[in-house]
Amino acid sequence: MILAMLALLAQASGYPLGGTVVHGANGSPLKGVRVRLIESGKASELTSMLTGADGRFRFEALPAGKYMIAAERNGFPAQMYGQKALNAPVVTGVVVGEGQDASDLVFPLIPPATISGRVIDEKGEPLPGMTVVGYQRRGVGQAQRLQFIRRGSTNDLGEFRLYGLPRGDYLVSVTGIPFQSLPALDVSGTPAGYGLTFHPGVQDVSKAAWVHVEPAEEARADVRASASKVVRVSGTLKGTEIPNNSYVWLAVALGDGTYFQMGQSVYIYGSSFQLGGVPPGRYALFAVTQGRRVIARQTVDVADDPSNVEIDASRMAKVRMKVNVRGAKPGETIVASLLTYGERWGPQGTLDSKGEILFGAVAAGLYTVSIVSPDSRVQISPESITAEGARVRGDLIELPESGQVTLTVNANVQSEIVNGRVHKDGRPVSGMTVVLIPARNEASVISYRIDQSDSDGSFKWRNVPPGEYLMFAFEDGASWDYMDEGVMQGFRNLGQPLTVRAAQKGEVRLEVTRVPQPSRQ
Amino acid sequence: MWNVVVCLALALTASKRDAFQNEVRPQIPKGPVEIKGVVRESGTGQPLAGATVVLEMTRATPASGVETGPDGAFSLKAESPNGTVKISKRGFRTKSRSNQEAIPVLKFRDGAQTVDLVRLGAIAGRIVDENGEALVGIRVEAIYKRIRDGAGRMIAYATATTDDRGQYRLWYLDPGSYWVKALGRQTVMTGYGEFPPPKEGEFTYGPSYFPSGATPAEGQAIAVEGGITSDANFQLAASPGRRIRGRILGLAADEPVTLELSRDGESIAGQIKVNLANGAFEAAGLPPGEYRLLATTRTGDGRSGEEIVQLGSVDVSGANVVLSSGVRVKGQILDAGPERRFGAMAILRPWRGRSGEESYGRPSEGGGIEWTDVTPGKYEFHADRLNLASVRSGNTDVLRDGLLVTQSGCEPLEIRFEPETAKVELSLEDGKPRIVILLRQFGEQVLAATRYVNQMGEPDWVALAPGDYRVFSEFTSNEIEYRDRAVLDTLWNRAAAVKAKAGETVKVTVPLLQGDGTGGVR
């Protein structure tokens, strides 16, 4: 009777959600943290509060449901409850309600890492005003590439500091003309320039040394760079319309379809341009409109003497894209785009009656495919991409400088949401990385699905076409470790089979996969 | 303007002398020149090793160079005397404030040359909040005061942003006096999220001058010496910040435009975002004050627009900046007599140190003056004459209250001179050629005129309208900020007082005053 009354009371006044925010590295309570409560699926916050000296936060009388908790504090990058790394894409939701205890959560704030160092020349003297970039290897399996994480510059002592970093392995590059606004001359009478040089002092990215940092750690990455004479590159652009205020820049290809921009961009006057202060080497030259549309891209070899280059945009690759959308309604309009990797723009058009589209001149580089049905406002995920005349790595397409390219994209308009719950020793378990991969061996990583279990063990895989799958629940490690064909190959025999049917219903029960912690090495 | 005339006269004399000397001087012998010398650190005289000495001959011949040895000495050979030698070293500049000292090869015929390079300095510090915690993303500027014609303008020389430890470093500063100003907080993106502001809501940090103070006068100037890092640590309190929103009108699609925001004549960089597609802009995190928005197209057609915004305790929206070609301002010298054409430029200078372009007008035969392409805004009238009686535009006393130029221009200026003047004879104690500054207070404005004294062919006297004047000379010109009210009060006691009476002649010995490095009088 009393119990029943208590339950009624609880229902009337709602449920609590609370806990302690602690420093992720030393576990001590953190005061002055703004803790924000967000209802799952809503964009704006419900309420927020500031932690006191004991680091505690508590929200009372909440309706039963699922909540996200965000935390902000001076000195820490903004983050959410359950995040396993500063740059993790998935978090843990907290469920409150009957039989759920969410009143004593521990929310560790992950402190950022730092890479600092000193850039010196051949004589050991500091190089001021150099551009410093920290990269991580991002992406998965075959689709790995270097991604810029943070940019900085050196001071008069040659010192730099890349801060606010997520844990992980980094490459560090430097480039530039020391204190370009007032450069000293070298004995050849020009300001000395430094081509892209990686820690500890190599130009070849494959010989660069990786630097590892954990949260709150500071690692050093000194760079010794060698000067080279810089030259002027002039050129003309033909074979394309050049809108006003278009500009060009030079970039170093990092060998995986990504580029590092060298120096400043310059405007194109009429059809000609002039770039100054270029260290000799091989570059990709980009011509881009004010609206960031690439109108030309060509490899340019810059020698020791001033160079003159001619860029012919009409030589760029012609891309025919064939899209097979299973389950599309007859006559349904389908819009396909090639998106420049890391951006939201790129050539776009409507498929013809044969499901094809031709893009006339597309710049070399990395692209992803986007397929949309504007009528039903559905974003359709590709299941597989194959190419003739280009390289496909996972969901990335690496287009060449010129030639004919045929892309074949298979997609399925039909997709399901798979709801599930992770169990360990018979009880739901929070914060597990849950992975769904197609059962067929050759399936590309673009059809992998990832989530993280909430406090009641529940999770969701969205956008899953019907078919045969294997599912996994891993206790530890960053989620992108598992978005990797190479890693997942080793676990295939441990996967729990799952058949996803049209109009999938109910909840999938998933046991924690008992494996040693996987690693990419 | 007398200065112009004097310079011309000097130039004429110089060219006559050159022509004469060329006749008697033997031809410059062709053949190699031995280039020898020593590079030293200015001030200490210490030899500088590792400085680069580059010989540039013609465009066709590649430059060649050497580095100075441990004793700072260099030696190389030029095949002919046509060319220059450029000397540079990282962390140093030349006395001419450029990076490379260019010396004609010919000069080395006279023997070894000594070249002094100035070592640059730095200011570094840490900025914390009210709780002593590091503030990340605070923009910091090293500012110095540039004085021209007695008006000081604060010029940002170097900028930096505090890192995660709250530390900043402003480097490669020329030796001299600097103010360090913290001006707002920038969002610090990490590539996956951002560092949250230390305090919630619309708060701003600064503008605050080291160690604390809203204006340079309330702050403390820091002396920078070559090769030394001066410390400037300070604490910043958060203050409520407001927004100014508006639109640049008359902008073509994707037309490049620069929008500058300034407060009390100081530029506030990095706080304004412009959407080029529709000209909409927004500046956030601003403390209350008077703001000036200046839009200038970068297409080279000279269109610009200005808007003054009074920001109080609420946000301002609809601050529209209308782009237009500059307007035309007309004036007329109304008195007859020799002053009808005063032969020199009359300048419309942005009011009391406000940033903006100056406009120049020269009187025609009939005494008419025209200033074209004047950006609407408030201006001071300047003419290097102290016998001006009045300048009026409609009902406005321009000398006292300034000139407001709007989109539709302004009433024509009526310029009058005093018919009767006093003759004031100027002499300097040391007899050296110097610039003498004569000041006359005119309401809010200080009218100033400059004269060269002890220059060849220069009459060392000036005609002044009846009234009270102060006269002084600077040790080096452009050192004392005599248009500043506070400086002027000190100066008024230190400079020589002159009482000019119509038709009389006054003799005055001009005192030589020295600046304190920040615009004041030592």
Side-chain angles (χ1 to χ4, degrees):
Chain A
M1 180 70 181
I2 292 166
L3 273 174
M5 270 178 71
L6 278 176
L8 271 172
L9 264 173
Q11 268 175 355
S13 55
Y15 303 90
L17 187 159
T20 313
V21 183
V22 298
H23 192 286
N26 59 30
S28 59
L30 281 174
K31 76 163 182 179
V33 183
R34 175 58 58 174
V35 180
R36 299 181 190 281
L37 191 66
I38 303 148
E39 222 177 320
S40 181
K42 303 254 169 77
S44 58
E45 72 174 53
L46 203 63
T47 178
S48 78
M49 67 167 294
L50 219 50
T51 61
D54 57 359
R56 296 208 50 98
F57 63 95
R58 193 174 170 90
F59 302 103
E60 300 287 356
L62 298 172
K66 195 181 282 181
Y67 299 87
M68 305 296 180
I69 315 167
E72 287 169 17
R73 192 194 188 283
N74 185 28
F76 291 82
Q79 47 195 289
M80 296 186 89
Y81 177 73
Q83 223 172 297
K84 290 182 177 169
L86 283 172
N87 52 353
V90 286
V91 301
T92 295
V94 177
V95 177
V96 304
E98 217 38 57
Q100 302 289 335
D101 183 11
S103 61
D104 201 15
L105 306 168
V106 177
F107 187 165
L109 276 196
I110 306 167
T114 306
I115 296 175
S116 60
R118 192 159 172 265
V119 182
I120 52 171
D121 66 9
E122 304 94 318
K123 288 185 284 184
E125 286 185 18
L127 288 171
M130 303 283 279
T131 301
V132 184
V133 174
Y135 315 74
Q136 266 194 343
R137 191 175 276 153
R138 282 286 175 81
V140 289
Q142 292 295 301
Q144 281 190 354
R145 73 276 158 190
L146 289 179
Q147 188 176 11
F148 305 162
I149 302 296
R150 206 139 165 74
R151 188 182 287 264
S153 61
T154 59
N155 62 19
D156 55 329
L157 310 174
E159 293 169 349
F160 67 88
R161 185 173 174 85
L162 304 173
Y163 60 89
L165 302 176
R167 64 169 282 275
D169 296 314
Y170 287 85
L171 289 182
V172 174
S173 77
V174 306
T175 184
I177 294 173
F179 196 49
Q180 193 159 11
S181 56
L182 207 77
L185 301 180
D186 71 7
V187 290
S188 71
T190 54
Y194 291 79
L196 198 62
T197 308
F198 291 88
H199 162 71
V202 292
Q203 306 238 320
D204 181 352
V205 62
S206 67
K207 295 197 174 85
W210 291 85
V211 180
H212 182 82
V213 273
E214 285 296 318
E217 276 184 6
E218 183 170 339
R220 269 194 85 84
D222 296 334
V223 185
R224 182 180 281 265
S226 302
S228 57
K229 176 184 167 182
V230 294
V231 297
R232 180 182 295 280
V233 178
S234 5
T236 50
L237 173 60
K238 63 171 194 179
T240 180
E241 234 181 89
I242 308 166
N244 277 343
N245 303 316
S246 296
Y247 51 95
V248 296
W249 76 70
L250 289 176
V252 176
L254 295 176
D256 56 4
T258 52
Y259 299 95
F260 178 89
Q261 185 185 336
M262 290 286 289
Q264 303 288 311
S265 46
V266 296
Y267 282 112
I268 304 172
Y269 291 98
S271 63
S272 57
F273 56 85
Q274 248 187 18
L275 289 146
V278 183
R282 168 163 284 199
Y283 297 97
L285 186 140
F286 284 83
V288 176
T289 65
Q290 193 79 33
R292 312 226 309 163
R293 183 168 59 89
V294 179
I295 49 174
R297 212 229 67 150
Q298 194 172 304
T299 299
V300 167
D301 283 309
V302 176
D304 282 348
D305 296 316
S307 303
N308 215 327
V309 293
E310 194 173 86
I311 309 298
D312 187 355
S314 63
R315 292 214 318 246
M316 287 198 295
K318 289 170 183 60
V319 181
R320 180 175 297 281
M321 199 156 124
K322 298 179 179 174
V323 184
N324 307 312
V325 183
R326 277 189 289 141
K329 293 184 203 93
E332 186 174 351
T333 306
I334 305 280
V335 173
S337 332
L338 271 175
L339 300 182
T340 305
Y341 173 68
E343 308 276 1
R344 288 196 184 86
W345 44 261
Q348 185 182 71
T350 304
L351 298 182
D352 64 14
S353 57
K354 289 183 291 181
E356 292 188 10
I357 184 165
L358 181 73
F359 296 119
V362 188
L366 285 187
Y367 291 86
T368 56
V369 169
S370 157
I371 302 162
V372 181
S373 167
D375 298 340
S376 49
R377 294 190 191 173
V378 173
Q379 175 83 39
I380 304 163
S381 309
E383 286 181 291
S384 69
I385 304 169
T386 54
E388 283 169 50
R391 209 173 137 212
V392 176
R393 303 185 279 135
D395 58 342
L396 294 180
I397 299 149
E398 196 177 336
L399 290 183
E401 288 206 351
S402 59
Q404 300 278 344
V405 175
T406 306
L407 290 178
T408 307
V409 180
N410 291 310
N412 192 340
V413 97
Q414 207 178 9
S415 73
E416 302 298 325
I417 292 175
V418 178
N419 286 298
R421 199 175 294 266
V422 192
H423 286 82
K424 187 184 179 187
D425 306 327
R427 297 171 70 174
V429 53
S430 162
M432 297 292 114
T433 304
V434 290
V435 186
L436 183 73
I437 71 171
R440 64 201 153 83
N441 231 343
E442 74 287 3
S444 156
V445 72
I446 60 171
S447 49
Y448 288 20
R449 299 291 177 266
I450 292 264
D451 196 14
Q452 189 166 304
S453 65
D454 293 329
S455 66
D456 62 348
S458 65
F459 64 87
K460 222 175 233 169
W461 288 312
R462 292 165 200 278
N463 220 344
V464 183
E468 298 299 323
Y469 290 88
L470 293 171
M471 50 183 185
F472 308 82
F474 297 113
E475 295 212 63
D476 210 353
S479 49
W480 55 85
D481 286 347
Y482 305 101
M483 285 290 281
D484 187 312
E485 297 100 333
V487 169
M488 291 313 294
Q489 252 341 302
F491 294 126
R492 283 197 161 269
N493 58 341
L494 300 172
Q496 225 176 289
L498 174 71
T499 304
V500 176
R501 297 194 172 80
Q504 173 85 9
K505 283 197 180 64
E507 192 179 90
V508 172
R509 186 187 165 100
L510 176 57
E511 296 296 330
V512 166
T513 313
R514 308 263 176 195
V515 286
Q517 189 189 329
S519 86
R520 283 183 289 151
Q521 270 73 48
Chain B
M1 213 183 250
W2 274 111
N3 328 9
V4 178
V5 180
V6 171
C7 290
L8 261 174
L10 281 174
L12 279 171
T13 336
S15 58
K16 265 186 198 162
R17 193 170 56 217
D18 282 354
F20 170 72
Q21 284 180 348
N22 279 346
E23 279 169 36
V24 292
R25 206 186 238 183
Q27 286 285 304
I28 297 165
K30 292 203 168 70
V33 181
E34 205 69 47
I35 295 172
K36 274 187 166 175
V38 176
V39 181
R40 302 183 314 182
E41 182 180 342
S42 176
T44 65
Q46 291 291 312
L48 280 180
T52 311
V53 181
V54 174
L55 174 64
E56 285 182 353
M57 300 308 285
T58 58
R59 279 184 154 262
T61 327
S64 61
V66 293
E67 286 188 5
T68 55
D71 53 355
F74 60 91
S75 165
L76 67 167
K77 201 176 197 179
E79 288 309 317
S80 88
N82 308 314
T84 54
V85 174
K86 284 184 174 173
I87 297 174
S88 62
K89 182 170 168 64
R90 278 207 297 268
F92 291 81
R93 67 157 176 81
T94 62
K95 289 198 155 174
S96 56
R97 273 199 177 242
S98 89
N99 54 329
Q100 303 135 10
E101 179 91 62
I103 307 163
V105 168
L106 209 52
K107 191 131 201 259
F108 288 90
R109 279 206 185 279
D110 305 341
Q113 298 293 314
T114 302
V115 180
D116 285 351
L117 296 181
V118 178
R119 192 188 281 271
L120 302 170
I123 299 174
R126 181 162 186 263
I127 302 183
V128 295
D129 68 5
E130 300 101 313
N131 306 319
E133 284 194 36
L135 282 171
V136 56
I138 302 292
R139 254 171 66 86
V140 186
E141 281 182 351
I143 295 170
Y144 73 99
K145 195 179 268 178
R146 181 158 71 201
I147 298 156
R148 222 188 68 186
D149 295 342
R153 200 187 266 193
M154 302 301 278
I155 310 270
Y157 189 82
T159 64
T161 308
T162 57
D163 65 18
D164 56 323
R165 303 166 298 180
Q167 294 185 357
Y168 70 90
R169 188 174 172 85
L170 297 154
W171 46 277
Y172 274 13
L173 304 177
D174 280 300
S177 286
Y178 292 84
W179 284 264
V180 174
K181 182 168 88 163
L183 63 165
R185 183 182 182 273
Q186 288 183 320
T187 309
V188 182
M189 297 303 294
T190 55
Y192 51 86
E194 61 178 77
F195 278 93
K199 205 169 166 131
E200 285 169 276
E202 294 264 314
F203 280 99
T204 172
Y205 289 85
S208 181
Y209 288 83
F210 168 80
S212 66
T215 62
E218 292 169 53
Q220 188 181 309
I222 294 165
V224 168
E225 287 176 56
I228 287 173
T229 301
S230 306
D231 290 328
N233 301 317
F234 53 120
Q235 201 162 30
L236 274 185
S239 58
R242 306 286 170 225
R243 276 166 204 272
I244 298 176
R245 286 193 199 88
R247 207 174 253 257
I248 303 171
L249 302 177
L251 199 63
D254 281 341
E255 185 177 15
V257 67
T258 307
L259 183 61
E260 291 167 77
L261 181 68
S262 55
R263 181 184 46 236
D264 306 327
E266 282 178 52
S267 173
I268 300 169
Q271 280 186 24
I272 193 152
K273 286 187 195 119
V274 184
N275 179 352
L276 281 184
N278 59 11
F281 63 81
E282 179 172 315
L286 305 173
E290 186 185 272
Y291 289 84
R292 174 176 181 253
L293 290 149
L294 176 67
T296 317
T297 59
R298 279 191 272 126
T299 32
D301 61 0
R303 284 184 307 145
S304 62
E306 189 193 66
E307 177 72 11
I308 305 289
V309 176
Q310 297 293 340
L311 189 64
S313 56
V314 290
D315 293 353
V316 168
S317 52
N320 292 336
V321 182
V322 184
L323 285 178
S324 64
S325 307
V327 300
R328 197 176 290 261
V329 173
K330 286 186 174 182
Q332 177 68 43
I333 299 168
L334 290 172
D335 303 275
E339 291 295 353
R340 192 173 173 84
R341 291 183 297 117
F342 55 90
M345 290 288 184
I347 307 167
L348 295 183
R349 183 174 286 165
W351 177 251
R352 309 195 75 185
R354 172 177 79 82
S355 60
E357 296 275 311
E358 293 180 343
S359 292
Y360 296 85
R362 188 188 288 281
S364 68
E365 285 286 334
I369 310 181
E370 202 172 81
W371 295 269
T372 54
D373 240 4
V374 181
T375 307
K378 197 171 179 185
Y379 291 88
E380 291 172 6
F381 178 93
H382 283 271
D384 200 13
R385 276 289 172 276
L386 287 178
N387 55 343
L388 266 178
S390 72
V391 178
R392 302 193 73 85
S393 165
N395 289 326
T396 309
D397 182 340
V398 174
L399 289 183
R400 200 188 62 200
D401 302 326
L403 177 70
L404 190 68
V405 180
T406 65
Q407 284 297 326
S408 47
C410 64
E411 294 281 317
L413 301 186
E414 296 167 6
I415 303 155
R416 287 187 174 82
F417 290 95
E418 293 286 352
E420 286 212 71
T421 58
K423 185 178 182 184
V424 178
E425 291 180 2
L426 307 163
S427 64
L428 275 154
E429 284 164 342
D430 62 3
K432 284 187 177 161
R434 288 195 195 281
I435 290 176
V436 168
I437 298 133
L438 299 108
L439 303 176
R440 178 185 177 196
Q441 287 201 53
F442 226 110
E444 276 288 282
Q445 266 206 87
V446 177
L447 288 188
T450 52
R451 289 292 178 275
Y452 276 101
V453 171
N454 297 336
Q455 291 277 13
M456 192 170 25
E458 169 76 3
D460 296 340
W461 60 269
V462 61
L464 301 181
D468 285 328
Y469 294 84
R470 290 298 183 274
V471 187
F472 70 99
S473 179
E474 290 179 90
F475 195 70
T476 62
S477 59
N478 289 334
E479 205 178 336
I480 296 169
E481 195 187 358
Y482 52 79
R483 287 185 201 280
D484 180 85
R485 184 58 54 180
V487 176
L488 194 65
D489 287 343
T490 324
L491 191 62
W492 214 250
N493 298 324
R494 308 280 292 274
V498 175
K499 206 170 197 63
K501 287 181 186 152
E504 289 184 6
T505 299
V506 191
K507 284 185 173 38
V508 56
T509 306
V510 181
L512 187 57
L513 303 182
Q514 204 171 343
D516 69 353
T518 66
V521 191
R522 186 172 285 171

